[in-house]
Amino acid sequence: MSDLDAVLFDFSGTLFRLEGDESWFAGMELDTDDDREVDAHVQAELMRRLTAPTGTSVTMTPEALDAWVNRDLAPHLHREAYMHVLGQSGLARHHAESLYAHAIDPGSWTPYPDTAPVLDGLRRRGIKTAVVSNIAFDLRPAFTGVGDVDEFVLSFEVGAVKPNPAIFQAALDRLGVSAERALMVGDSDEADGGARALGCAFALVDPLPTTQRPDGLISALRTNGL
């Protein structure tokens, strides 16, 4: 019998991954002296910049930095921050708009191969689940047909971002579970690992492409006795 009553999951890079379809980049060029083509390497870097949980990727004005720091607290700041990142990355405004629209569309996100089996298995065992995400859009529709989650604790709805203990405490309170009986699973030691401050166990997963990480969630849970 496991000592855990609940598992908290990060979203991006943990349960789902934003993996750009080549059609998203059709006709795009970087606004540089040589109008560099948005090839596979550039596509990968743009996607990284859209999903990196911490740090900055481009030069920031004071206004842009303020939006970046607070991007997961309000949709308008999220948009402002990422439009700046994409513009500084060399994308024309209309291309940046198009790519950003994909990023905030829950239907654009791909679940990891073991996301559905893990969520189903935990539910069958009576272990509660919550998604705890630094995000500024409603990701709930992404789970349609994938798996049931007991609670969604989203930064822009609760007014706190990881690693602030408040967002993890909100999840624990909603689930009615003590920190010592919960595991946080995420791809950022800095952000998701903040749950340890409350006494939660923590498991780190690698935000690899979904085709390269078939059982990362299963391994993380097994390591923690599930």
Side-chain angles (χ1 to χ4, degrees):
M1 177 69 72
S2 169
D3 291 331
L4 296 173
D5 294 327
V7 181
L8 316 181
F9 292 99
D10 171 50
F11 176 68
S12 173
T14 301
L15 293 176
F16 286 71
R17 191 172 189 270
L18 184 65
E19 297 182 329
D21 186 278
E22 285 192 8
S23 66
W24 297 4
F25 302 94
M28 285 190 187
E29 292 181 340
L30 295 185
D31 187 14
T32 59
D33 291 338
D34 57 356
D35 289 330
R36 183 182 176 190
E37 179 186 356
V38 178
D39 59 19
H41 295 293
V42 175
Q43 291 177 23
E45 176 58 18
L46 289 171
M47 298 305 291
R48 187 194 69 79
R49 293 183 181 190
L50 278 170
T51 56
T54 59
T56 58
S57 303
V58 300
T59 301
M60 295 277 183
T61 63
E63 295 79 12
L65 183 59
D66 180 69
W68 178 261
V69 170
N70 295 291
R71 68 194 185 280
D72 292 317
L73 292 173
H76 74 281
L77 294 176
H78 190 270
R79 176 184 176 81
E80 180 181 336
Y82 283 105
M83 289 301 293
H84 178 82
V85 168
L86 294 173
Q88 288 292 303
S89 299
L91 287 185
R93 182 77 182 186
H94 64 290
H95 288 320
E97 294 269 10
S98 175
L99 190 55
Y100 179 74
H102 286 297
I104 63 171
D105 177 4
S108 295
W109 292 74
T110 303
Y112 278 92
D114 55 349
T115 294
V118 160
L119 293 178
D120 180 62
L122 291 173
R123 179 164 292 274
R124 284 189 284 104
R125 294 182 61 180
I127 295 173
K128 298 178 181 179
T129 56
V131 171
V132 184
S133 178
N134 286 351
I135 205 159
F137 63 90
D138 186 2
L139 54 75
R140 293 174 180 85
F143 288 81
T144 301
V146 175
D148 293 323
V149 174
D150 291 301
E151 295 289 344
F152 289 89
V153 184
L154 313 182
S155 58
F156 82 106
E157 294 181 341
V158 300
V161 299
K162 298 177 290 187
N164 187 335
I167 192 170
F168 303 109
Q169 189 62 58
L172 296 171
D173 290 346
R174 291 184 187 183
L175 294 174
V177 173
S178 66
E180 295 74 19
R181 304 279 300 182
L183 168 69
M184 176 70 204
V185 181
D187 69 313
S188 171
D189 186 79
E190 178 181 348
D192 303 312
R196 290 176 294 207
L198 295 176
C200 296
F202 174 63
L204 184 68
V205 293
D206 195 334
L208 292 168
T210 56
T211 56
Q212 297 177 27
R213 208 196 77 190
D215 58 358
L217 297 171
I218 292 172
S219 296
L221 296 185
R222 282 178 176 166
T223 299
N224 285 273
L226 289 171

